[in-house]
Amino acid sequence: MSSFAGWSARSTAEIREADFHRVRTDLAVRGRAGHGIWRHERAALVQTVGPTWTGPKGPAVLERAGAPPVAVVFDGHLANATGLAASLALRPGYSPSELVAHAYLRWGRAAVERFQGDFAFAVLDADRVLLGRDRLGIKPLSYLETENGLLFSSDLATLARHPWARPRLTADGLSALITQLRPPGRGVLADVREVVPGTTVEFRAGGAGSEARYWSLQDPPETTPDRPVEQVRELLDDAVRRALGDAEPAVLLSGGLDSSVLTGLAAGLAKRPPRTFTVVFDQTGVPVPDRPYAQEVVDFLGCEHHEAEIDPRELSAPGLLAEVAAAKDHPTPFGDKNITPYVFGRRVAEAVPVVLSGEGADAVFTGLGGDPDPTRTLTSFPWIERSRRFGLPYGIGAGLFDAGLLTAIDVSGWIDSLFREAVAEVRHPPGASRTDRLAREIDHLTITRLLEQTVLHSERISTAAGLEVRFPFADAEVVSAVYHLPAREKSFDGREKSLLRALGHHLVPESVRTRPKVPYPITYDRYYKSALVHRLRALLDDSAAPVHALLDRRAAVAVVDDPSRLDRGGWLGRADAEMVLQLDAWLRRLHVRIEL
């Protein structure tokens, strides 16, 4: 767990000492256990690290005879670090940045192909900058080319708040925020780019970035499983083993199928049952339906179990919304669905530094779910199709924005364009049936466009809470193998996640393996809703609030006057208010100019 930022300037005058402190302070959201700074002529690097970091805490700098030094910064977890270190003859005590630096000197740009895990890194080599990101983009990495030079960071806010940046929100950016959809590699801020998952980007003096893809979901796996249940189970065992590494086995256990199977896998691999952690609300909150199932898993496997009890009133603590907003790449309509995991993560971090999560299984294993309908034709992203059935044309959280504005910037056109672009990326095997083609399109859309709202989102929140979370179900080998299976191998018993349920046999109690899915718990406590209304009223009364230019003020006032509107659709009304509040906090923190 760590974070980094760097800048490569056009002249030495652009590197100012005052910028180092600013950047280091901003990066602390993803690493508070130490930091290091490196400067060389027209380049600078800053790195902060968390409690799981090993070796020297600053950028790795390797001196070379007759050539400028190579400097590297890193964020994430290299699951095969031990094997890489052995092949590079490194002695114990190296940092992840040093390992990447030595790998770069040995194999150059192709070194990334040997890395396993969740990672982002930057290499400064004379007039060359190389940025790289893991296969599924679990770790963040953004960059911005400015008139002063190149900026890059594993924290978007750090990049946006740098003196070289002039963060702007245009119509495309607002459409991306409203819909939670954007093309791979495109940031929500104008001119900000992201390193596409499975890709490296190289910059040389005076030239534009050159992308090279080293992994793609569309690439077929080395072997196609002919015994899917057994072979995917083997891949999952390997993924869990890599994710555990040297860490004490610990799992976030909700009691749902995904986290329960993960706990069973970890128990079978570790020397002792893992420690498990479950979130519950105290007597003022709604009961958590998963709780009894979590206890069944604990009793079945003999886990050392911990329950983190949260008073719903904690979720409205002063400053907490700002902390959560600072943790994320961009605002979302998920209020206490974000705040609860953040508070929960802080509690878990008091006990263990690293934990496994079942997040990602929905995207990887659901497939079509139930009995596939080969006559179905996709008209949009599946989750957008579902939201439209509830009268939400743009997805969740858009209800308090000015409808005329959203029509003027053509948010519907944005969704349609991205949908066509995403579907066009899918490569179908020769002779694929209509059912298989439909299944592959749905899985591709879910993995490449929805994963950001689940796994990536959870990574940002947990890291800010001081907890390193790893996601074995989002392991690239597992994802690739399951993606390329025919639909009948993923949905064969008339239920969703047939494959995961089958391989979970004997790993978890039968009652857990066959139970229906329920959503992540939220609070329906009156105090939380009252505090939400109070914050929305304060926002409307604040004439300096930047989000005012985007609001349907009449709709927002109606919510303040009649808080029962927050209960529309269970929690969909709350999502409208949460999105507006988060967006305002994000615009303020990043000093974003709105240019529609």
Side-chain angles (χ1 to χ4, degrees):
M1 188 167 66
S2 52
S3 191
F4 64 79
W7 49 111
S8 177
R10 301 189 189 282
S11 71
T12 56
E14 300 293 348
I15 303 296
R16 304 185 309 167
E17 293 295 331
D19 296 337
F20 287 103
H21 176 73
R22 179 200 299 265
V23 169
R24 185 189 69 195
T25 301
D26 284 343
L27 286 176
V29 71
R30 290 182 59 85
R32 301 182 179 88
H35 72 276
I37 295 171
W38 178 79
R39 173 179 177 176
H40 182 77
E41 296 179 354
R42 295 183 292 108
L45 294 173
V46 180
Q47 179 157 325
T48 61
V49 302
T52 60
W53 187 264
T54 58
K57 297 179 179 180
V61 182
L62 302 185
E63 300 291 343
R64 298 179 295 180
V70 169
V72 174
V73 281
F74 179 86
D75 179 12
H77 164 67
L78 284 177
N80 61 334
T82 301
L84 282 173
S87 64
L88 294 166
L90 293 185
R91 296 180 179 179
Y94 57 84
S95 71
S97 295
E98 289 175 316
L99 180 55
V100 172
H102 284 279
Y104 169 78
L105 286 183
R106 172 75 65 86
W107 298 298
R109 190 172 187 170
V112 67
E113 299 172 17
R114 300 171 182 260
F115 299 160
Q116 294 178 350
D118 308 331
F119 57 82
F121 65 85
V123 177
L124 288 183
D125 180 3
D127 64 349
R128 180 190 196 195
V129 178
L130 179 66
L131 308 179
R133 195 176 181 198
D134 65 74
R135 290 161 179 80
L136 290 171
I138 306 299
K139 295 298 178 181
L141 182 52
S142 300
Y143 62 92
L144 173 65
E145 295 181 81
T146 77
E147 61 183 14
N148 304 89
L150 176 69
L151 286 172
F152 51 89
S153 179
S154 58
D155 177 64
L156 175 64
T158 300
L159 183 149
R161 287 160 56 91
H162 191 280
W164 292 2
R166 300 290 184 268
R168 299 178 296 120
L169 183 68
T170 62
D172 282 356
L174 180 58
S175 295
L177 292 176
I178 294 294
T179 63
Q180 302 288 296
L181 288 167
R182 54 202 167 90
R186 180 90 62 84
V188 294
L189 293 172
D191 302 321
V192 172
R193 303 283 297 177
E194 292 181 348
V195 177
V196 175
T199 299
T200 59
V201 184
E202 181 183 73
F203 299 86
R204 290 188 180 271
S210 169
E211 288 189 355
R213 183 176 288 276
Y214 67 90
W215 184 88
S216 170
L217 182 63
Q218 301 302 320
D219 298 334
E222 294 183 3
T223 58
T224 300
D226 53 10
R227 295 175 293 106
V229 174
E230 294 85 353
Q231 289 168 282
V232 172
R233 165 66 190 274
E234 293 172 2
L235 289 173
L236 276 173
D237 279 341
D238 289 342
V240 172
R241 190 178 293 109
R242 286 193 294 269
L244 282 173
D246 296 330
E248 173 187 357
V251 181
L252 299 178
L253 173 64
S254 71
L257 175 69
D258 309 340
S259 64
S260 298
V261 169
L262 177 59
T263 304
L265 290 167
L269 294 171
K271 295 180 180 179
R272 61 180 180 81
R275 299 174 73 178
T276 50
F277 299 85
T278 298
V279 62
V280 298
F281 293 116
D282 73 1
Q283 66 276 6
T284 67
V286 68
V288 178
D290 280 333
R291 190 178 187 183
Y293 294 99
Q295 190 60 53
E296 285 190 49
V297 173
V298 168
D299 294 340
F300 183 79
L301 297 173
C303 302
E304 178 188 326
H305 191 52
H306 305 265
E307 289 189 338
E309 186 177 90
I310 295 177
D311 182 341
R313 297 173 184 244
E314 291 182 67
L315 307 181
S316 299
L320 192 56
L321 176 65
E323 289 182 35
V324 174
K328 302 186 296 182
D329 295 337
H330 54 78
T332 71
F334 310 115
D336 63 315
K337 282 176 173 279
N338 288 166
I339 300 173
T340 298
Y342 179 72
V343 175
F344 179 41
R346 293 196 304 194
R347 301 278 177 80
V348 176
E350 295 172 358
V352 294
V354 178
V355 71
L356 305 186
S357 167
E359 195 83 71
D362 280 339
V364 176
F365 287 98
T366 296
L368 284 173
D371 295 318
D373 177 7
T375 66
R376 178 184 177 191
T377 299
L378 284 179
T379 59
S380 188
F381 298 97
W383 54 98
I384 295 292
E385 289 182 335
R386 287 194 295 269
S387 72
R388 286 173 174 169
R389 291 197 288 268
F390 289 96
L392 307 173
Y394 311 125
I396 297 168
L400 297 185
F401 291 98
D402 185 298
L405 172 63
L406 302 190
T407 299
I409 65 173
D410 194 14
V411 178
S412 292
W414 173 265
I415 296 173
D416 294 343
S417 175
L418 294 188
F419 170 69
R420 291 192 299 270
E421 177 183 296
V423 170
E425 294 171 3
V426 181
R427 296 202 299 267
H428 296 287
S433 68
R434 181 165 182 173
T435 299
D436 281 336
R437 292 174 69 89
L438 178 59
R440 181 169 289 226
E441 288 173 358
I442 291 176
D443 287 350
H444 172 78
L445 296 175
T446 304
I447 293 169
T448 63
R449 301 305 195 271
L450 191 61
L451 206 64
E452 181 176 11
Q453 299 180 36
T454 54
V455 174
L456 280 62
H457 202 61
S458 296
E459 190 280 338
R460 311 300 186 261
I461 292 173
S462 60
T463 298
L467 179 67
E468 182 173 340
V469 178
R470 298 173 186 167
F471 308 92
F473 288 132
D475 178 87
E477 291 187 29
V478 173
V479 172
S480 179
V482 177
Y483 174 75
H484 287 278
L485 286 173
R488 65 181 179 276
E489 303 288 1
K490 291 184 278 191
S491 180
F492 48 77
D493 62 0
R495 299 195 64 185
E496 80 284 357
K497 299 183 183 176
S498 302
L499 181 59
L500 186 60
R501 291 180 190 277
L503 66 84
H505 191 57
H506 299 312
L507 289 175
V508 298
E510 189 67 11
S511 60
V512 174
R513 196 173 70 89
T514 58
R515 63 167 299 207
K517 180 178 177 59
V518 298
Y520 190 85
I522 64 173
T523 179
Y524 289 94
D525 182 71
R526 293 181 180 179
Y527 182 87
Y528 181 82
K529 290 195 290 184
S530 175
L532 189 60
V533 171
H534 175 75
R535 291 199 295 267
L536 184 58
R537 180 184 294 111
L539 177 69
L540 292 173
D541 291 340
D542 182 0
S543 61
V547 79
H548 279 188
L550 311 174
L551 286 185
D552 179 342
R553 185 174 181 86
R554 182 177 300 178
V557 169
V559 171
V560 170
D561 291 342
D562 180 11
S564 68
R565 292 173 180 262
L566 292 174
D567 300 323
R568 177 178 57 85
W571 62 275
L572 297 180
R574 281 166 53 176
D576 293 338
E578 302 276 17
M579 181 64 187
V580 166
L581 291 167
Q582 286 196 31
L583 178 56
D584 189 74
W586 183 80
L587 292 169
R588 292 176 192 256
R589 184 168 188 269
L590 274 61
H591 307 294
V592 177
R593 298 197 314 273
I594 300 175
E595 298 181 358
L596 302 181

